[in-house]
């Protein structure tokens, strides 16, 4: 039945001056709380044994030269044989394990309790075309030939054991950087030197008998067909005679244990099967490879007491490998007495729907938080709006499952591949004073140390290292360098250069990092406490969050300010009239919340303040009511169900979600300790259309529990309606014959299958107040109003005039109107198609040929490509020629890549600045 009530008002999605993130959302209804024994399903949020780690990430060759005896690795004076040339940034420069041990006082002085080494196994010393100019050395450790031996340039196995024992004696853990995706480049291809990738569709794998098969059918099992190097692969692998036995263990010399499909382009299928810059890509679907690597890394745990692994190129290895490798290695480590053994992987992606699957579906403990790196740079270095941080942290629940969550992720500001935080800050603030650059660097570190996760300091950042960019340009030595490119660097916070040693414990950044580590050790809630978004300015300014420990129950408020002027904000907290004391920063020593539980905080420019509540939270008398909302297919990942609970109350709560299928028992799928309370349940193993029942159990701060009524969800993308119409009082403005016309063609939305959203762009809607709903299939039989409620109240839209975009999501039944702010200066489509467009390379946001043009008629940015080659492509929308602001699948900021399988021919890219949807036609 048509509703024209305006009692429930939903304004247009326009940006306010600030986003205030309250601690809870009141449900539409709440269950009555009864005095009953606590529900055992009510659990505390998981905290791993590594939620108090301060990592120091170091490249041994570039840190400290303990002895010159091993500089050439015993290979002689010729740099093209030994790889040692201290004047070249791409060759060994002389650092070693003894040098690391000699400087443990310096490293520990930063507050470091976890030392992470780049791969230290024996490497192929030099790779390239035979010329010095086009060759480089394995100083970084990622070209392994022998997985059982320390590289002679760095020392010996015995010296590693001595270093580990010395670190353990100081209470420091040692983490090894390991590789399972590839080995050094030894295998060549008989047919080609350049070896472009050949897909499985073009050339399937074949058994020794010549029968085609899909390797994925065997992944995760202990079975695999026998293979023949001469007939099983699209390329014929050939190993030079001099290197036929160079790899250790010996099984690595079997060329049938490699994919042999040519070089990856880092997108689609070849991201898993292609050779990584020519490196030999292992056949990780084969159980011989899985079992072989499990055995290799067990030995390093058993024989050397390694405390954990950072895993290289995790994104480029199949899921089934991790589902076996992770649990087996972790179980073995615990058998060896390593109860806090910890593994985290490199998944070079900023989309949480992508990165989180490695800790949920793939059973690994953690991944490096690349999304945090981008958000922190945007905030601290580029002075983006503070609400961007709130949006970023709001996505943390993607990582929540029964045994892990976002609190375990290592966070970082820069690294050996992408570049240093000092470099980014200098690039983003050209012309700024050194004092400002240091302030911004300190602000970035404050955000990293006070927010959730385990902070990683990249060696040299504490000395203000910068550099021209990433990779070799971000790998300066801490000892006096002879590399001319490094000698030209301008370091932050010092007049020093790379011509001398840089181990200055008086450097302002060294002192700042030491101070942050000491403060978080004194106040461990700032490291492991629940993190709750509180306030975010919709401009440069204050982002505030609270941290609270489930046991201590004392709230901390952290406020970071990226504005160049002092800012003041009223920050919501859990309790009214609560005194707070300053524990960090330059601000009033004592403040108190008002009767609305808001804390007025003033923060100096480019700085941070932290307050601690004087008292603990009042104990709850009874657990609040809880209601599970309609479970829906998660935007950006159709294999996950988004399950959300509304909790009636305003205190610290922990909500455990449970799921069951027909006839099954309730199983916990994750506990969330901050609002909005939600999990993204992995249902990839279930059949599409299967019904899953969910419930939520609230645990309050006094041990009381309450449970919701069960709510069912259906796995898989729901069948889309034939049509969706924006039916309302605006229909005549759109050209319909009358208002509230559910069958009007001019009000009909267009379905975008890539984004799974319905969209209607209106270039110029007159100013006014309008009511509307989503009408399906041209009638009022099925319609949705406020909050996606069937037959719900009309949505009210107050419009100032101009372009507006309507969006409808059939997974949630929510329809909304969004308006754009000022048009950007430029919009581009960086992706794997850029080289086809004439760009110098792929993924180039500043490439002229990838730029869209604004169509003033409809306000949409467009790029028409007359003849795009057939292929599978990935892309995003980039704003103003850089990655600082970008939009992916579903219009999400820093979202997943958008995929396009193109048959060849013309294609038009269209970007809507209101919804941020980038679509193709």
């Amino acid at each position: 039945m048509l509703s024209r009530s305006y009692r429930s008002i939903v304004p247009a999605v326009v940006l306010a001056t600030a986003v205030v993130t309250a601690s809870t959302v009141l449900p539409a209804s709440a269950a009555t709380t009864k005095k009953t024994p606590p529900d055992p399903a009510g659990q505390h949020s998981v905290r791993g044994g590594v939620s108090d780690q301060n990592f120091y990430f170091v490249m041994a060759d570039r840190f400290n030269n303990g002895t010159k005896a091993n500089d050439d690795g015993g290979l002689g004076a010729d740099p093209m044989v030994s790889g040692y040339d201290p004047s070249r940034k791409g060759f060994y420069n002389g650092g070693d394990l003894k040098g690391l041990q000699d400087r443990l006082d310096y490293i520990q002085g930063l507050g470091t309790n976890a030392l992470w080494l780049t791969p230290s196994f024996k490497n192929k010393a030099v790779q390239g075309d035979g010329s010095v100019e086009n060759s480089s050395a394995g100083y970084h450790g990622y070209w392994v030939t022998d997985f059982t031996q320390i590289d002679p340039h760095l020392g010996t196995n015995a010296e590693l054991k001595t270093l580990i024992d010395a670190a353990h004696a100081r209470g420091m853990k040692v983490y090894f950087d390991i590789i399972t995706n590839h080995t050094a480049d030894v295998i060549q291809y008989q047919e080609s030197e350049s070896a472009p990738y050949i897909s499985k569709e073009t050339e399937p794998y074949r058994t020794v008998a010549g029968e085609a098969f899909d390797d994925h059918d065997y992944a995760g099992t202990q079975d695999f067909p026998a293979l023949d190097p001469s007939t099983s692969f699209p390329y014929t692998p050939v190993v030079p005679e001099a290197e036929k036995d160079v790899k250790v263990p010996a099984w690595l010399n079997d060329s049938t244990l490699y994919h042999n499909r040519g070089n990856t382009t880092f997108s689609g299928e070849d991201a898993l099967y292609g050779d990584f810059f020519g490196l030999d890509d292992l056949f990780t679907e084969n159980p011989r490879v899985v079992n072989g690597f499990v055995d290799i890394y067990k030995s390093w745990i058993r024989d050397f007491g390694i405390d954990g692994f950072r895993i290289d190129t995790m994104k480029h290895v199949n899921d089934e490998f991790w589902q076996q490798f992770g649990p087996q290695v972790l179980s073995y480590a615990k058998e060896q007495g390593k109860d806090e053994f910890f593994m985290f992987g490199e998944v070079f992606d900023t989309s949480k729907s992508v990165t989180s699957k490695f800790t949920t579906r793939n059973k690994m403990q953690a991944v490096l938080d690349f999304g945090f790196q981008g958000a922190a740079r945007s905030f601290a270095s580029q002075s983006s709006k503070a609400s961007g941080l709130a949006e970023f942290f709001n996505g943390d629940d993607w990582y929540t499952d029964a045994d892990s969550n976002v609190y375990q992720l290592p966070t970082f500001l820069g690294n050996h591949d992408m570049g240093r935080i000092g470099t980014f800050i200098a690039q983003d603030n050209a012309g700024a004073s050194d004092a400002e650059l240091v302030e911004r660097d300190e602000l970035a570190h404050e955000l990293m140390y006070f927010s959730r996760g385990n902070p990683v300091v990249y060696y040299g950042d504490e000395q203000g290292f910068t550099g021209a960019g990433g990779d070799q340009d971000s790998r300066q030595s801490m000892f006096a360098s002879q590399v001319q490119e490094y000698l030209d660097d301008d370091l932050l916070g010092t007049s020093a250069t790379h011509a001398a040693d840089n181990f200055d414990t008086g450097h302002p950044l060294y002192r700042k990092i030491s101070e942050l580590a000491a403060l978080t050790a004194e106040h461990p809630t700032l490291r492991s406490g629940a993190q709750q978004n509180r306030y975010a300015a919709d401009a440069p300014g204050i982002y505030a969050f609270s941290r609270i420990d489930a046991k201590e129950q004392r709230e901390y408020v952290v406020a970071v300010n990226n504005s160049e002027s002092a800012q003041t904000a009223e920050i919501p907290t859990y309790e009214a009239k609560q005194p707070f004391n300053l524990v960090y920063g330059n601000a009033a020593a004592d403040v108190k919340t008002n009767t609305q539980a808001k804390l007025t905080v003033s923060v100096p420019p480019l700085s941070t303040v932290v307050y601690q509540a004087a008292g603990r939270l009042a104990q709850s008398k009874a657990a609040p009511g809880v209601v599970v909302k309609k479970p829906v297919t998660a935007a950006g990942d159709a294999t996950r169900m988004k399950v959300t609970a509304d909790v009636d109350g305003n205190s610290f709560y922990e909500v455990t979600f449970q799921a069951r299928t027909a006839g099954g028992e309730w199983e916990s799928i994750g506990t969330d300790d901050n609002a909005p309370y939600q999990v993204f349940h992995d249902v990839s193993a279930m059949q599409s259309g299967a019904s899953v029942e969910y419930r939520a159990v609230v645990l309050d701060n006094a041990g009381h529990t309450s449970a919701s009524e069960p709510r069912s969800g259906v796995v898989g993308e729901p069948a889309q309606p034939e049509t969706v119409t924006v039916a309302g009082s605006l229909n005549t403005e759109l050209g319909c014959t009358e208002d509230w016309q559910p069958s009007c063609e001019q009000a009909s939305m267009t379905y975008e299958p890539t984004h799974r959203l319905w969209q209607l762009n209106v270039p110029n809607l007159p100013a006014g107040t309008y009511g509307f709903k989503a009408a399906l299939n041209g009638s009022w039989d099925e319609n949705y109003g406020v909050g996606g409620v069937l037959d719900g109240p009309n949505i009210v839209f107050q419009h100032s005039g101009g372009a507006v975009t309507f969006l409808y999501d059939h997974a949630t039944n929510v329809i909304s109107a969004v308006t754009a702010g000022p048009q950007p200066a430029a919009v581009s489509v960086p992706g794997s198609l850029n080289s086809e467009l004439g760009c110098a390379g792929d993924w180039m946001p500043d490439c002229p040929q990838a730029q869209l043009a604004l169509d003033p008629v409809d306000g949409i940015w467009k790029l028409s490509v007359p003849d795009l080659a057939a292929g599978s492509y990935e892309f995003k929308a980039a704003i103003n020629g850089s990655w600082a602001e970008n939009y992916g699948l579903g219009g999400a900021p820093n979202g997943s890549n958008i995929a396009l399988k193109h048959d060849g021919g013309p294609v038009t890219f269209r970007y809507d600045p209101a919804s941020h949807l980038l679509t193709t036609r």
Side-chain angles (χ1 to χ4, degrees), residues 813-825:
N813 305 128
V814 170
I815 186 171
S816 58
V818 292
T819 58
Q823 289 282 5

Side-chain angles (χ1 to χ4, degrees), residues 313-610:
T313 52
M314 180 180 274
K315 182 180 180 179
H316 302 284
V317 176
N318 58 297
D319 294 348
E320 297 84 0
F321 179 94
W322 303 120
Q323 291 163 5
Q324 298 173 85
F325 180 88
Q328 288 187 53
V329 171
L330 184 60
S331 176
Y332 181 80
K334 290 184 176 180
E335 291 173 7
Q336 300 299 308
K338 295 285 183 180
D339 292 336
E340 295 184 352
F341 193 84
F342 181 56
M343 290 179 285
F344 55 99
E346 177 205 32
V347 182
F348 203 152
D349 200 299
T350 60
S351 174
K352 294 181 181 181
S353 61
V354 173
T355 54
S356 64
K357 80 170 186 176
F358 290 89
T359 67
T360 54
R361 181 180 312 164
N362 289 355
K363 304 179 182 179
M364 298 301 291
Q365 292 166 284
V367 293
L368 281 162
D369 197 346
F370 279 87
F372 174 86
Q373 190 278 331
R377 175 186 178 181
S378 180
F379 178 81
S381 180
Q382 298 170 331
S383 289
S384 61
K385 58 185 182 181
S387 55
L389 276 181
E391 292 173 3
F392 169 75
F393 287 118
N394 267 336
D396 282 353
D397 293 324
W398 280 97
Y399 291 97
T400 301
D401 67 2
D403 61 3
S404 64
N405 54 39
V406 76
Y407 295 99
Q408 295 176 207
L409 303 192
T411 53
F412 66 101
L413 300 171
N415 66 17
H416 60 316
D417 289 328
M418 63 170 48
R420 295 182 177 277
I421 184 60
T423 301
F424 304 143
I425 290 173
Q427 291 174 346
D428 296 338
N429 300 276
S433 67
D434 182 66
E436 179 185 334
L437 301 182
V438 171
E439 284 182 329
R440 290 185 179 276
D441 202 313
E442 291 178 343
L443 178 64
H445 280 90
E446 289 164 345
L447 176 64
M448 180 170 69
Y449 270 81
F450 294 145
S451 60
R452 91 294 184 275
N454 295 279
V456 178
V457 173
Y458 179 43
Y459 84 96
D461 283 359
E462 77 280 6
Q463 295 296 328
F465 283 14
T466 56
D471 198 67
Q472 294 181 7
D473 288 323
S474 64
R475 300 172 180 179
Q476 301 88 342
S477 59
M478 298 284 285
F479 54 92
S481 178
Q482 301 175 43
V483 176
Q484 185 57 52
E485 293 95 329
Y486 297 159
L487 297 178
D488 293 338
D489 290 350
D490 290 325
L491 282 65
L492 306 185
T494 178
S495 60
T497 71
H498 288 294
D501 290 0
N502 282 278
F503 294 100
D504 179 12
T505 57
H507 191 287
L509 289 172
Y510 184 98
R511 295 200 314 268
K512 175 57 65 176
I513 293 170
S514 299
E515 179 188 7
L516 296 173
L519 184 70
T520 54
E522 182 182 354
H523 299 273
T525 298
L526 292 171
R527 290 301 314 282
S528 60
Q531 179 168 320
Q532 178 67 62
N533 274 349
R534 290 302 192 184
Y535 175 94
D538 198 52
I542 292 176
Y543 165 64
F545 55 97
S546 64
R547 305 296 303 267
I548 186 164
D549 180 74
K551 181 178 180 181
E552 180 65 21
Q553 292 289 314
R554 191 184 303 274
E555 185 171 8
Y556 289 75
V557 171
V558 180
V560 290
N561 176 22
N562 71 343
S563 170
E564 294 183 34
S565 61
Q567 299 289 311
T568 300
E570 284 191 335
I571 300 170
T573 69
Y574 284 127
E575 292 207 344
K577 310 301 286 184
Q578 172 70 264
F580 277 78
N581 311 122
L582 184 71
V583 297
Y584 180 84
N586 182 16
D590 301 295
V591 289
K592 191 175 185 179
T593 58
N594 61 18
T595 55
Q596 285 77 46
K598 292 184 177 181
L599 189 72
T600 300
V601 173
S602 295
V603 189
L606 300 179
S607 64
T608 301
V609 299
V610 181

Side-chain angles (χ1 to χ4, degrees), residues 770-845:
Y770 301 96
F772 66 93
K773 304 179 78 173
L776 275 55
N777 302 320
S779 76
W780 288 110
D781 292 345
E782 185 177 357
N783 69 86
Y784 298 94
V786 172
V789 175
L790 182 67
D791 295 320
N794 300 332
I795 300 166
V796 173
F797 173 40
Q798 296 174 332
H799 187 47
S800 58
V804 59
T805 297
F806 295 90
L807 296 173
Y808 172 75
D809 183 352
H810 194 52
T812 62
N813 305 128
V814 170
I815 186 171
S816 58
V818 292
T819 58
Q823 289 282 5
V827 178
S828 61
V829 54
S832 61
L833 71 163
N834 287 165
S835 54
E836 281 77 5
L837 301 183
C839 304
D842 286 334
W843 297 100
M844 296 182 65

Side-chain angles (χ1 to χ4, degrees), residues 83 128 163 170 213 299 345 350 363 440 477 599 660 683 696 706 878:
L163 170 64
R170 294 167 174 263
F213 74 98
S299 68
T350 60
K363 304 179 182 179
R440 290 185 179 276
S477 59
L599 189 72
R660 69 179 178 188
V683 292
S706 68

